[in-house]
Amino acid sequence: MRYNKTNYRYLYDYLGFSTSLLCAIHCAIVPVLITFSALGSLSFLANPAIEWTFIVTGLFLALLSLWPSYRKYHHKKFPLLLATSGFVLIALSRIEVHELWEAVLTPPGALGIAIAHYFNWKYLKRYRHQH
């Protein structure tokens, strides 16, 4: 398989999708594990450093993949809008309103980003076959 910029775009979307999906799973399951189990030793998973690592990595991969793909290849706004909505939900989840606020907003935000990478990948694939 020949490696070119489009193949790297696939890699960025794969990494972005995987990271965002892991973030969504992490944000949905960790509070439940810590609250309803005797697994109090897993509280290190709720560390803000882990959360910010997911957020910064997701933002970096989205900027590396979604914007250049939109601008240079497929010109479809849907992945950008979906990722932006996801990051807005995650940003809103950082505001401490209620103890459930973060658990309700972060997983859908991360899933939105993951789905944005999926659609970007599909659009890139379609673009590549047309040219």
Side-chain angles (χ1 to χ4, degrees):
M1 175 188 206
R2 233 177 37 183
Y3 288 98
N4 58 33
K5 287 185 180 183
T6 306
N7 289 350
Y8 284 113
R9 300 259 177 259
Y10 292 156
L11 176 65
Y12 298 149
D13 282 320
Y14 175 75
L15 290 173
F17 177 83
S18 300
T19 302
S20 300
L21 194 58
L22 284 173
C23 178
I25 292 168
H26 170 265
C27 292
I29 291 178
V30 168
V32 174
L33 284 177
I34 292 172
T35 303
F36 295 113
S37 71
L39 302 174
S41 61
L42 293 177
S43 62
F44 74 92
L45 291 173
N47 186 336
I50 292 174
E51 294 173 2
W52 281 105
T53 300
F54 276 127
I55 293 169
V56 170
T57 302
L59 184 59
F60 176 73
L61 288 169
L63 290 173
L64 196 62
S65 176
L66 299 177
W67 178 250
S69 297
Y70 163 75
R71 198 170 47 89
K72 293 179 184 177
Y73 301 107
H74 58 70
H75 308 291
K76 307 262 189 212
K77 292 181 183 177
F78 184 65
L80 291 174
L81 294 173
L82 200 54
T84 301
S85 300
F87 281 113
V88 166
L89 284 175
I90 291 172
L92 288 173
S93 76
R94 304 285 106 199
I95 301 169
E96 297 201 18
V97 173
H98 188 270
E99 44 187 63
L100 289 178
W101 185 255
E102 181 179 2
V104 169
L105 293 180
T106 305
L111 280 174
I113 297 165
I115 293 168
H117 281 288
Y118 172 76
F119 276 101
N120 192 59
W121 173 74
K122 293 291 271 184
Y123 292 149
L124 277 174
K125 216 171 155 180
R126 190 176 306 149
Y127 171 84
R128 187 172 179 187
H129 289 293
Q130 290 175 355
H131 290 89

